[in-house]
Amino acid sequence: MASAKTSWSEDNFSCSICLDVFSNPVTTPCGHNFCRTCITKFWDEQVQYKCPVCNKIFDIRPDLQVNTLLSELATPFRKSLQANEQPCVEPAEVPCDVCIGTQLKAVKSCLVCFTSYCQTHLEPHQRVAGLKKHRLVEPMDRLEDRMCKKHDRLLELFCQTEQVFVCQFCTEGDHRSHPVVPLKEEYEVKMAQLGKIEAEVQQMIQERKLKIKEIKATVERSKSDADREIADGGQIINALICCVEKCRDDFNQTVNEKLKSTGKQAVDLIKELEQEIEDLTNRSSEVKQLSHTIDHLHFLQDFSSLKDPPPTRDWTTVEVRPPSYVGTLRRSLDQLEETLNMEMKKLSDDELKRVQQYEVDVTLDPDTAQTTLILSEDGKQVHHGFVGKKLPDNPKRFKFHIFVLTKQSFSSGSFYFEVQVKEHTAWRLGVAKESINRKGRIIVTPEMGYWTLYFNKDGLVFQDNPAVHVPLRAELQKVGVFVDYDEGLVSFYDVEARVHLYSATGCTFTEPLHPFFAPCLYGDQGINSPPMIISPVNQKD
């Protein structure tokens, strides 16, 4: 028996329909064996019931019974065959289109059948003469999509002109004059492009991750700044509240003390008056009693013993005057103002320290300077030279007005710079938007794109419509300019006195801003000669 088994081959146990080892084999009346599923499906698709091997036709559909002996013989052979069978298809591999149940890895694809075969199901193409003529290629999935619809040939080429897949016959027709390359060559080009795209995408991802990190850091920093601002502001406001409450208490105490003094004076006078009334009442009783004496002797005797009248004050000149509160509130408010000014001075100093942290390094742009202006080589100083120079009239240059901008511009965030104006008798200073008019008549107001302070012998003003007069406590030597672009804020500071001068709030910025300088011509030649100097920030402790 063992020797017999060793002589059996797969053909002895193969179904002639599926070419696989029998599964539930049945026998037809003509003596041929098939898998029950295969013969059943075959007859379901036929008009006549015939044998797939000998073509014998049956009048009625045969009632098939399982061939028990063949099933028992095929089962161990199937198991041994499966043990040596090819591995199941992996995700990246092409599966066999014929396998039922577990699909095996395809080893070839047929361009005539449009089918991929594992080693077992490929066998007829290696044995049957008609099938041997079919073109076999390395396994490919979706074979129908790989075939030229027009020529029924494999799409092996790529037309670079029309960016489509073509077969060899297409290059002899519609694509004759087009540059055509093998798919592999175009694949390598596109893969290189894909690698570049992937690198670019990864770089963009990293940039966005860094931006997220930056934004989160900004939020954290903003939260820390907000917490510090709330704490510092709360401390100052609480101090101011304490000052106001103390002022109120001192005022109330002063008024109440005046009222108390007046009340005490009134009580003392009333007490004195009541004592005199009591004394006078007693004397009145004695006089009345004496007036009822009829006996002349007794009357005269008692009259001589009548007491002298008690001493009394002349009350016609005595009065209680209500206290005067005039000036009491004023004196309290003056004291409060003095205290508040001290606190505001501290606040301005703290505020200046904070804005100085946004210092930027700016230099004057000679291409914008009006021809009478003289700039230092380092771009940090400018003064009026009285004589115009012959310079190119480029679009950036101010033609008539004695203005100059910096090379640097800012379109977000905050920035701060300081300018020395000591002994300068007239000047304009601030920021201006990039698109300002530079050639014709210029109106220096926020509406026209300028946010500036103007100083001359008449004082200091913020140039708006109307102008805002800014009080000065001392001669200006150095001015600080702070801009918060996103908040729409422009602030000016007296750096030496460390006080806030003026702030323009609610500004709308929609384009880059440049620091703006104007060393105005004022008075006789030479009077306004000291330069405006961009100075480095020197923070004080």
Side-chain angles (χ1 to χ4, degrees):
M1 180 69 78
S3 60
K5 285 184 179 179
T6 55
S7 64
W8 294 343
S9 68
E10 182 181 353
D11 292 339
N12 298 113
F13 300 101
S14 296
C15 169
S16 57
I17 296 177
C18 69
L19 305 178
D20 204 350
V21 177
F22 287 119
S23 176
N24 294 326
V26 294
T27 305
T28 60
C30 59
H32 294 109
N33 299 303
F34 306 95
C35 299
R36 176 185 286 278
T37 302
C38 293
I39 190 62
T40 300
K41 183 177 180 182
F42 178 80
W43 281 344
D44 288 343
E45 296 173 351
Q46 301 296 321
V47 176
Q48 293 179 317
Y49 304 120
K50 63 179 180 178
C51 175
V53 175
C54 65
N55 290 325
K56 178 177 176 60
I57 297 175
F58 306 108
D59 295 334
I60 60 174
R61 184 166 181 160
D63 184 16
L64 301 173
Q65 300 295 325
V66 175
N67 188 327
T68 306
L69 176 61
L70 186 58
S71 177
E72 290 178 353
L73 293 173
T75 296
F77 187 81
R78 172 185 290 276
K79 290 181 180 180
S80 63
L81 187 63
Q82 287 178 344
N84 300 319
E85 189 60 270
Q86 306 168 69
C88 295
V89 65
E90 297 295 332
E93 297 173 334
V94 179
C96 174
D97 294 328
V98 182
C99 286
I100 299 174
T102 302
Q103 289 181 302
L104 301 179
K105 172 185 175 181
V107 294
K108 292 291 181 180
S109 294
C110 178
L111 298 183
V112 178
C113 303
F114 295 143
T115 305
S116 296
Y117 299 101
C118 64
Q119 189 62 53
T120 299
H121 294 124
L122 181 65
E123 188 271 338
H125 278 74
Q126 298 170 331
R127 174 173 50 83
V128 180
L131 297 179
K132 285 183 177 181
K133 297 179 180 180
H134 290 187
R135 185 181 175 187
L136 299 176
V137 296
E138 292 303 310
M140 298 180 179
D141 59 349
R142 294 161 46 193
L143 282 170
E144 293 87 347
D145 297 340
R146 297 175 180 271
M147 303 301 293
C148 176
K149 300 295 188 291
K150 184 176 182 180
H151 302 108
D152 201 27
R153 289 290 186 272
L154 186 66
L155 297 171
E156 299 177 295
L157 304 170
F158 184 78
C159 175
Q160 294 179 326
T161 299
E162 298 186 14
Q163 295 289 298
V164 294
F165 305 106
V166 296
C167 69
Q168 188 63 46
F169 286 0
C170 292
T171 62
E172 300 172 3
D174 296 341
H175 299 268
R176 183 190 306 274
S177 60
H178 297 171
V180 175
V181 297
L183 289 183
K184 181 180 179 182
E185 182 177 331
E186 185 66 20
Y187 167 83
E188 291 173 349
V189 171
K190 290 296 190 292
M191 281 298 290
Q193 293 178 358
L194 194 64
K196 183 178 179 181
I197 292 173
E198 173 64 14
E200 291 174 351
V201 169
Q202 289 299 323
Q203 182 178 355
M204 293 173 67
I205 290 172
Q206 291 303 316
E207 289 173 353
R208 280 148 183 78
K209 286 182 177 180
L210 289 174
K211 180 57 68 174
I212 290 174
K213 187 176 180 180
E214 177 185 329
I215 292 172
K216 288 183 177 180
T218 301
V219 170
E220 287 299 318
R221 187 169 62 252
S222 298
K223 184 178 182 301
S224 299
D225 292 344
D227 292 342
R228 185 179 64 253
E229 194 71 18
I230 289 173
D232 294 345
Q235 185 177 358
I236 293 172
I237 291 173
N238 288 335
L240 294 178
I241 290 173
C242 289
C243 290
V244 173
E245 289 178 344
K246 186 176 184 305
C247 175
R248 179 198 60 197
D249 294 342
D250 291 346
F251 171 74
N252 290 344
Q253 183 178 355
T254 300
V255 171
N256 287 329
E257 285 179 353
K258 287 188 175 184
L259 177 61
K260 183 179 179 182
S261 177
T262 302
K264 184 176 182 305
Q265 179 188 7
V267 168
D268 292 342
L269 291 174
I270 290 172
K271 186 177 180 180
E272 185 178 349
L273 285 167
E274 288 176 344
Q275 183 61 50
E276 288 190 4
I277 290 172
E278 183 181 354
D279 293 341
L280 292 172
T281 300
N282 292 335
R283 184 172 178 76
S284 175
S285 298
E286 291 177 0
V287 170
K288 282 183 180 180
Q289 184 178 357
L290 182 60
S291 66
H292 290 102
T293 303
I294 301 174
D295 188 307
H296 296 163
L297 178 62
H298 289 166
F299 175 81
L300 293 174
Q301 288 175 341
D302 292 337
F303 186 83
S304 61
S305 62
L306 188 65
K307 294 179 179 178
D308 294 332
T312 57
R313 180 187 295 197
D314 181 5
W315 292 98
T316 58
T317 60
V318 177
E319 62 178 339
V320 176
R321 295 180 180 274
S324 174
Y325 303 113
V326 176
T328 305
L329 180 58
R330 170 58 59 190
R331 286 189 293 274
S332 295
L333 292 178
D334 287 344
Q335 185 176 357
L336 176 61
E337 182 180 11
E338 183 180 350
T339 305
L340 291 178
N341 285 337
M342 291 176 60
E343 293 297 330
M344 288 300 293
K345 179 68 168 60
K346 295 178 183 177
L347 177 61
S348 294
D349 188 47
D350 292 340
E351 182 179 330
L352 184 57
K353 286 180 181 178
R354 286 199 295 272
V355 301
Q356 284 178 328
Q357 297 175 4
Y358 295 95
E359 178 190 11
V360 291
D361 184 16
V362 293
T363 53
L364 301 170
D365 185 359
D367 290 339
T368 66
Q370 197 264 353
T371 57
T372 60
L373 291 177
I374 299 176
L375 278 58
S376 62
E377 291 186 3
D378 62 0
K380 297 295 185 180
Q381 301 185 26
V382 58
H383 69 276
H384 189 262
F386 301 100
V387 179
K389 300 180 290 295
K390 290 184 179 181
L391 297 172
D393 186 18
N394 63 61
K396 296 169 60 178
R397 189 180 308 285
F398 290 98
K399 187 171 184 179
F400 302 110
H401 294 266
I402 310 172
F403 297 165
V404 61
L405 303 177
T406 62
K407 296 178 181 178
Q408 296 77 16
S409 64
F410 305 90
S411 55
S412 64
S414 300
F415 62 94
Y416 174 84
F417 60 96
E418 292 181 354
V419 180
Q420 180 178 310
V421 293
K422 184 179 180 181
E423 298 179 358
H424 212 76
T425 53
W427 48 263
R428 286 186 178 91
L429 178 63
V431 292
K433 65 182 184 181
E434 196 165 71
S435 65
I436 51 174
N437 173 31
R438 309 187 189 197
K439 301 302 180 183
R441 179 173 177 268
I442 297 176
I443 301 175
V444 186
T445 62
E447 185 179 0
M448 304 306 295
Y450 295 84
W451 291 265
T452 65
L453 278 184
Y454 174 58
F455 174 79
N456 65 8
K457 63 182 179 63
D458 296 325
L460 185 67
V461 297
F462 175 75
Q463 294 202 268
D464 203 344
N465 189 17
V468 180
H469 290 272
V470 179
L472 274 177
R473 293 187 177 90
E475 180 182 352
L476 282 172
Q477 298 186 39
K478 188 180 292 186
V479 176
V481 182
F482 172 73
V483 177
D484 188 328
Y485 190 100
D486 303 318
E487 291 295 327
L489 172 70
V490 181
S491 296
F492 300 89
Y493 298 88
D494 180 344
V495 177
E496 295 302 319
R498 306 196 68 78
V499 296
H500 170 262
L501 293 172
Y502 182 79
S503 285
T505 58
C507 308
T508 301
F509 304 132
T510 58
E511 59 183 88
L513 296 178
H514 290 262
F516 166 91
F517 300 76
C520 308
L521 174 62
Y522 178 74
D524 296 331
Q525 182 168 329
I527 287 181
N528 204 33
S529 59
M532 297 177 72
I533 303 174
I534 301 173
S535 305
V537 171
N538 180 22
Q539 295 191 28
K540 297 181 180 180
D541 296 333

